[in-house]
Amino acid sequence: MKELFAILIGAILVENFVLSKFLGICPFLGVSKKTSTALGMSGAVVFVLVMSQAVTWLANEYLLEPYNLEYLQTITFILVIAALVQFVETVLKKLMPPLYKALGVYLPLITTNCAVLGSALIFVERNYTFIEAVVFGFAAGLGFTLALILFSGIRERLETADIPEAFKGMPITLVAASLVSITFIGFAGLIIG
Amino acid sequence: MSILIPVAVVSGLGLVFGLGLSYASKVFEVKVDERISAVREMLPGANCGACGYSGCDGLAEAIINEGVHPSRCPVGGIAVVNAIADYLGIDEGSIDVNVARVLCQGNCDNVVFKYNYLGIEDCHAANALAGGMDACSYGCVGLGSCKKVCQFDAIIVENGLARIIPEKCTGCGNCVAECPKSIIKLVPVLSGFTVKCNNHDKGVIARKNCKVGCIACQRCVKVCPSEAITMDNNLAVIDPEKCTNCGQCAEACPQKCITNTIVKRFK
């Protein structure tokens, strides 16, 4: 239990996917303009991360490792994640139309998100068990959510701030992103367990 | 032989997922109104968002579910609007799509030249030299600047005069903004008759410079039964709102600068 808690806090704060590992930067900058879209994207990321962690762990354990095919991890994981997301989308459309509408375009978007593939490759590196891998995926998703919501709040403020002409738009966004990232370095010394 | 194992694993995974997904799409199929996909097929498919919806899918849904008129799509043009209106059995008369029209007929045979232009092929460049080589300072320069900005190949330059192919024109307005002489106007699709001249000179000068220019004789104004034609500074202008496409003005015009484009376009 203690290990799981360590993984949870570690993935959210200490090694935050967006702000410390720099994974999933594309949606971090792309959909963080409004808190509402940020929430939609985060929900989809948490959802897909948990599911993909479970499936990729199984694929790794029972398909790749028995035949010493670790070098095929990247391509297999991408294949598995893409198929899974497509399947989940089809099922959601039929069984849970409200959720399908809420996740909307974000669901297929994160198929190719590097945070999803990244977390799959990380659990292999660390030899996580099935439960640990799923918790790690969940925590990574929460960390992504935290970063996205924090940042969307900052960006909404930036909209009305008095910014020098040359910095308007993407430049000030990138400066703000790096500052947020620096603050998360503060968690680096935190060792749990 | 051991190379076959990874091949089998990856291709096997692909096969399983492929079959699984196609099976899932059958089992979890959501019935979509088939009219939506039919309308979606008829729309241009550019997903440009000019209609105000997220893409062609969004507009197709809105046309079926919310009763939005197909003319909301400014890109498809008349052909698309008519096809969808026919398919849905709704009135196509309320089309408010615009097409661009060159208000000039001054080609090389009709207009008198002031000088011989040998510069670069650009209307703006020629226009900077004393307003172009045509004696008529209002008319088409004919070097095809509009053609260059048209993304739909709807403009051809024939004999020193730009002509717009109405079937291809989407009414995007690129050429209207580009033309240094501002002789391209957007007019409603259903208005057939236009005064194809932009010359505000007095009749004598207009006639001297161009064989087909408006000479402000006002015969069309007198003959028009619906009072749709007014004189704007020596140039007859037809108000498409009032015009009933009766064609009397075109018959009366001694310069033949009022022409009918609706017949060519629809039938």
Side-chain angles (χ1 to χ4, degrees), chain A residues 55 59 63-64 67 69 71-72 75-76 79-80 82-84 86-87 90-91 93-95 101, chain B residues 2-3 5-7 9-11 13-14 17 20-21 24-32 61:
Chain A
V55 179
L63 266 177
L64 300 181
Y67 301 105
L69 297 178
Y71 59 91
L72 283 179
I75 187 169
T76 314
L79 190 67
V80 170
L84 173 81
Q86 185 62 50
F87 178 75
T90 322
V91 175
K93 203 173 177 180
K94 172 82 177 178
L95 299 180
K101 279 234 158 149
Chain B
S2 62
I3 187 113
I5 297 171
V7 173
V9 167
V10 175
S11 55
L13 272 178
F17 288 144
L21 283 180
S25 70
K26 275 272 176 285
V27 174
F28 297 104
E29 194 181 8
V30 180
K31 283 268 177 283
V32 186
E61 267 184 46

Coordinates of all heavy atoms in Angstrom, one line a residue, chain A residues 55 59 63-64 67 69 71-72 75-76 79-80 82-84 86-87 90-91 93-95 101, chain B residues 2-3 5-7 9-11 13-14 17 20-21 24-32 61:
Chain A
V55 N -3.8 -2.6 -20.4 CA -3.7 -3.4 -21.6 C -2.2 -3.6 -22.0 O -1.8 -4.7 -22.3 CB -4.5 -2.8 -22.7 CG1 -4.4 -3.7 -23.9 CG2 -6.0 -2.8 -22.3
A59 N 0.0 -6.9 -22.4 CA 0.7 -7.2 -23.7 C 2.1 -7.5 -23.5 O 2.8 -8.4 -24.0 CB 0.4 -6.1 -24.7
L63 N 3.0 -11.3 -24.0 CA 3.3 -11.4 -25.5 C 4.8 -11.2 -25.7 O 5.5 -11.9 -26.4 CB 2.5 -10.4 -26.3 CG 1.2 -11.0 -26.9 CD1 0.5 -9.9 -27.6 CD2 1.5 -12.1 -27.9
L64 N 5.3 -10.1 -25.1 CA 6.6 -9.7 -25.5 C 7.7 -10.3 -24.7 O 8.7 -10.9 -25.2 CB 6.8 -8.1 -25.4 CG 5.8 -7.3 -26.3 CD1 6.0 -5.8 -26.1 CD2 6.0 -7.7 -27.7
Y67 N 8.8 -14.1 -25.3 CA 9.6 -14.3 -26.5 C 10.8 -13.4 -26.6 O 11.4 -13.3 -27.7 CB 8.7 -14.1 -27.8 CG 7.5 -15.1 -27.8 CD1 6.3 -14.6 -27.5 CD2 7.7 -16.4 -28.1 CE1 5.2 -15.4 -27.5 CE2 6.6 -17.3 -28.1 CZ 5.3 -16.8 -27.8 OH 4.3 -17.6 -27.8
L69 N 10.9 -10.2 -26.8 CA 10.7 -9.2 -27.9 C 10.6 -7.8 -27.3 O 9.8 -6.9 -27.8 CB 9.4 -9.5 -28.6 CG 9.3 -10.9 -29.3 CD1 8.0 -11.1 -29.9 CD2 10.4 -10.9 -30.4
Y71 N 12.3 -5.3 -27.7 CA 12.6 -4.3 -28.7 C 11.4 -3.9 -29.5 O 11.4 -2.9 -30.2 CB 13.8 -4.7 -29.6 CG 13.5 -6.0 -30.4 CD1 12.9 -5.9 -31.7 CD2 13.8 -7.2 -29.9 CE1 12.6 -7.0 -32.4 CE2 13.5 -8.4 -30.6 CZ 12.9 -8.3 -31.9 OH 12.7 -9.4 -32.6
L72 N 10.3 -4.7 -29.4 CA 9.1 -4.3 -30.1 C 8.1 -3.5 -29.3 O 7.0 -3.3 -29.7 CB 8.4 -5.6 -30.6 CG 9.0 -6.3 -31.8 CD1 8.2 -7.6 -32.1 CD2 9.0 -5.4 -33.0
I75 N 6.4 -0.2 -30.9 CA 5.4 -0.4 -32.0 C 4.2 -1.1 -31.4 O 3.1 -0.8 -31.7 CB 6.1 -1.1 -33.2 CG1 5.1 -1.2 -34.3 CG2 6.5 -2.5 -32.8 CD1 5.7 -1.6 -35.6
T76 N 4.5 -2.1 -30.5 CA 3.3 -2.9 -30.0 C 2.4 -2.0 -29.2 O 1.2 -2.0 -29.3 CB 3.8 -4.1 -29.2 OG1 4.9 -4.7 -29.9 CG2 2.7 -5.0 -28.9
L79 N 0.3 0.3 -31.2 CA -0.7 -0.5 -31.9 C -1.8 -0.8 -30.8 O -3.0 -0.6 -31.1 CB -0.1 -1.8 -32.4 CG -1.0 -2.7 -33.3 CD1 -1.3 -2.0 -34.6 CD2 -0.3 -4.0 -33.5
V80 N -1.4 -1.2 -29.7 CA -2.4 -1.6 -28.6 C -3.2 -0.4 -28.2 O -4.4 -0.4 -28.1 CB -1.7 -2.2 -27.4 CG1 -2.6 -2.4 -26.2 CG2 -1.1 -3.6 -27.8
A82 N -3.7 2.5 -29.8 CA -4.6 3.0 -30.9 C -5.8 2.2 -31.0 O -7.0 2.7 -31.0 CB -3.8 3.0 -32.2
A83 N -5.6 0.8 -31.0 CA -6.8 0.0 -31.1 C -7.7 0.1 -29.9 O -9.0 0.2 -30.1 CB -6.3 -1.5 -31.2
L84 N -7.1 0.2 -28.7 CA -7.9 0.4 -27.5 C -8.8 1.6 -27.5 O -10.0 1.6 -27.3 CB -7.0 0.4 -26.3 CG -7.7 0.7 -25.0 CD1 -8.4 -0.6 -24.4 CD2 -6.7 1.3 -24.0
Q86 N -9.7 3.4 -30.1 CA -10.7 3.3 -31.1 C -11.9 2.4 -30.6 O -13.1 2.8 -30.8 CB -10.1 2.6 -32.4 CG -11.1 2.5 -33.5 CD -11.5 3.9 -34.0 OE1 -10.7 4.8 -34.2 NE2 -12.8 4.1 -34.1
F87 N -11.6 1.3 -29.9 CA -12.6 0.4 -29.4 C -13.4 1.1 -28.3 O -14.7 1.1 -28.3 CB -11.9 -0.8 -28.8 CG -12.9 -1.8 -28.2 CD1 -13.7 -2.6 -29.0 CD2 -13.0 -1.9 -26.8 CE1 -14.6 -3.5 -28.4 CE2 -13.9 -2.8 -26.2 CZ -14.7 -3.6 -27.0
T90 N -15.9 3.5 -29.9 CA -17.0 2.9 -30.5 C -18.0 2.5 -29.4 O -19.2 2.7 -29.5 CB -16.6 1.6 -31.2 OG1 -15.4 1.9 -31.9 CG2 -17.6 1.2 -32.2
V91 N -17.5 1.9 -28.3 CA -18.4 1.4 -27.2 C -19.1 2.6 -26.5 O -20.3 2.6 -26.3 CB -17.5 0.6 -26.2 CG1 -18.4 0.2 -25.0 CG2 -17.0 -0.6 -26.9
K93 N -19.8 5.5 -27.7 CA -20.7 6.1 -28.6 C -22.1 5.4 -28.4 O -23.1 6.0 -28.5 CB -20.2 6.0 -30.0 CG -20.8 7.0 -31.0 CD -20.1 6.9 -32.3 CE -20.7 7.9 -33.3 NZ -20.0 7.8 -34.6
K94 N -22.0 4.1 -28.3 CA -23.2 3.3 -28.2 C -23.8 3.3 -26.8 O -25.0 3.6 -26.6 CB -22.9 1.9 -28.6 CG -24.1 0.9 -28.4 CD -25.0 1.0 -29.5 CE -26.2 -0.1 -29.4 NZ -27.1 0.0 -30.5
L95 N -23.0 3.1 -25.8 CA -23.5 2.8 -24.5 C -23.6 4.1 -23.6 O -24.4 4.2 -22.8 CB -22.6 1.8 -23.7 CG -22.6 0.4 -24.4 CD1 -21.7 -0.5 -23.7 CD2 -24.0 -0.2 -24.6
K101 N -19.9 12.5 -25.8 CA -20.0 13.9 -26.2 C -19.1 14.7 -25.4 O -18.5 15.7 -25.9 CB -21.4 14.4 -26.1 CG -22.3 14.0 -27.2 CD -23.0 15.2 -27.8 CE -23.4 14.9 -29.2 NZ -24.6 15.7 -29.6
Chain B
S2 N 13.7 -17.8 -35.9 CA 13.2 -16.9 -34.8 C 12.7 -15.6 -35.2 O 12.0 -14.9 -34.5 CB 14.3 -16.8 -33.8 OG 15.4 -16.0 -34.4
I3 N 13.0 -15.2 -36.5 CA 12.5 -13.9 -36.9 C 11.0 -13.9 -37.1 O 10.3 -12.9 -37.1 CB 13.2 -13.5 -38.3 CG1 12.8 -12.1 -38.7 CG2 12.8 -14.4 -39.4 CD1 13.9 -11.1 -38.7
I5 N 8.8 -15.2 -35.1 CA 8.0 -14.9 -33.9 C 7.6 -13.5 -33.8 O 6.4 -13.2 -33.7 CB 8.8 -15.4 -32.7 CG1 9.0 -16.9 -32.8 CG2 8.0 -15.1 -31.4 CD1 9.9 -17.5 -31.7
P6 N 8.5 -12.5 -33.9 CA 8.1 -11.1 -33.8 C 7.1 -10.7 -34.9 O 6.1 -10.0 -34.7 CB 9.4 -10.3 -33.9 CG 10.4 -11.2 -34.3 CD 10.0 -12.6 -33.9
V7 N 7.4 -11.2 -36.1 CA 6.5 -11.0 -37.3 C 5.1 -11.5 -36.9 O 4.1 -10.8 -37.1 CB 7.0 -11.6 -38.6 CG1 6.0 -11.5 -39.7 CG2 8.3 -11.0 -39.0
V9 N 3.8 -12.1 -33.9 CA 3.2 -11.4 -32.8 C 2.6 -10.0 -33.3 O 1.4 -9.8 -33.0 CB 4.3 -11.1 -31.7 CG1 3.8 -10.1 -30.7 CG2 4.7 -12.4 -31.0
V10 N 3.4 -9.3 -34.0 CA 2.9 -7.9 -34.4 C 1.7 -8.1 -35.4 O 0.7 -7.5 -35.3 CB 4.0 -7.1 -35.0 CG1 3.5 -5.8 -35.5 CG2 5.1 -6.8 -33.9
S11 N 1.9 -8.9 -36.5 CA 0.9 -9.0 -37.4 C -0.4 -9.7 -36.8 O -1.5 -9.4 -37.2 CB 1.3 -9.8 -38.7 OG 1.9 -11.0 -38.3
L13 N -1.3 -9.4 -33.7 CA -2.0 -8.3 -32.9 C -2.8 -7.5 -33.8 O -4.0 -7.2 -33.6 CB -0.9 -7.5 -32.2 CG -0.5 -7.9 -30.8 CD1 0.6 -6.9 -30.3 CD2 -1.7 -8.0 -29.9
G14 N -2.2 -7.1 -35.0 CA -2.9 -6.2 -35.9 C -4.1 -6.9 -36.4 O -5.2 -6.3 -36.5
F17 N -6.8 -7.1 -33.6 CA -7.4 -5.7 -33.3 C -8.3 -5.4 -34.5 O -9.4 -4.8 -34.3 CB -6.3 -4.7 -33.1 CG -5.6 -4.8 -31.8 CD1 -4.2 -4.5 -31.7 CD2 -6.3 -5.2 -30.7 CE1 -3.6 -4.7 -30.5 CE2 -5.7 -5.3 -29.5 CZ -4.3 -5.1 -29.4
G20 N -11.4 -7.4 -34.3 CA -12.1 -7.0 -33.1 C -12.8 -5.6 -33.4 O -14.0 -5.5 -33.0
L21 N -12.1 -4.7 -34.0 CA -12.7 -3.4 -34.2 C -13.8 -3.4 -35.2 O -14.9 -2.8 -35.0 CB -11.6 -2.4 -34.7 CG -10.7 -1.9 -33.6 CD1 -9.7 -0.9 -34.2 CD2 -11.5 -1.2 -32.5
A24 N -16.7 -4.9 -33.4 CA -17.2 -3.9 -32.5 C -18.0 -2.9 -33.2 O -19.1 -2.5 -32.7 CB -16.1 -3.3 -31.7
S25 N -17.6 -2.5 -34.3 CA -18.3 -1.4 -35.0 C -19.7 -1.9 -35.5 O -20.6 -1.1 -35.7 CB -17.5 -0.9 -36.2 OG -17.4 -1.8 -37.2
K26 N -19.7 -3.2 -35.8 CA -21.0 -3.8 -36.1 C -21.9 -3.9 -34.9 O -23.1 -3.5 -34.9 CB -20.8 -5.2 -36.7 CG -20.6 -5.2 -38.2 CD -21.9 -5.2 -39.0 CE -21.6 -5.1 -40.5 NZ -21.2 -3.7 -40.9
V27 N -21.4 -4.5 -33.8 CA -22.2 -4.7 -32.6 C -22.6 -3.4 -32.0 O -23.8 -3.3 -31.6 CB -21.3 -5.5 -31.6 CG1 -22.1 -5.6 -30.2 CG2 -21.0 -6.9 -32.1
F28 N -21.7 -2.5 -31.9 CA -22.1 -1.2 -31.2 C -22.4 -0.1 -32.2 O -22.3 1.1 -32.0 CB -20.9 -0.7 -30.4 CG -20.5 -1.7 -29.3 CD1 -19.4 -2.5 -29.4 CD2 -21.3 -1.7 -28.1 CE1 -19.1 -3.4 -28.4 CE2 -21.0 -2.6 -27.1 CZ -19.9 -3.4 -27.2
E29 N -23.0 -0.5 -33.3 CA -23.3 0.4 -34.4 C -24.4 1.4 -33.9 O -25.4 1.0 -33.2 CB -23.8 -0.3 -35.6 CG -23.9 0.6 -36.8 CD -24.4 -0.1 -38.0 OE1 -24.9 -1.3 -37.9 OE2 -24.4 0.5 -39.1
V30 N -24.2 2.7 -34.1 CA -25.2 3.6 -33.7 C -25.9 4.1 -35.0 O -25.3 4.5 -36.0 CB -24.6 4.9 -33.1 CG1 -25.6 5.9 -32.7 CG2 -23.8 4.4 -31.8
K31 N -27.2 4.0 -35.0 CA -28.0 4.3 -36.2 C -27.9 5.8 -36.4 O -28.3 6.6 -35.5 CB -29.4 3.9 -36.0 CG -29.7 2.4 -36.2 CD -30.0 2.1 -37.7 CE -30.2 0.7 -37.9 NZ -28.9 -0.1 -38.0
V32 N -27.4 6.2 -37.5 CA -27.3 7.6 -37.9 C -28.3 7.9 -39.0 O -28.5 7.1 -39.9 CB -25.9 8.0 -38.4 CG1 -25.8 9.5 -38.6 CG2 -24.8 7.5 -37.4
E61 N -25.4 17.8 -40.2 CA -26.3 17.6 -39.0 C -27.2 18.7 -38.8 O -28.4 18.5 -38.6 CB -25.4 17.4 -37.8 CG -25.1 15.9 -37.5 CD -24.4 15.8 -36.2 OE1 -24.8 16.4 -35.2 OE2 -23.4 15.1 -36.1

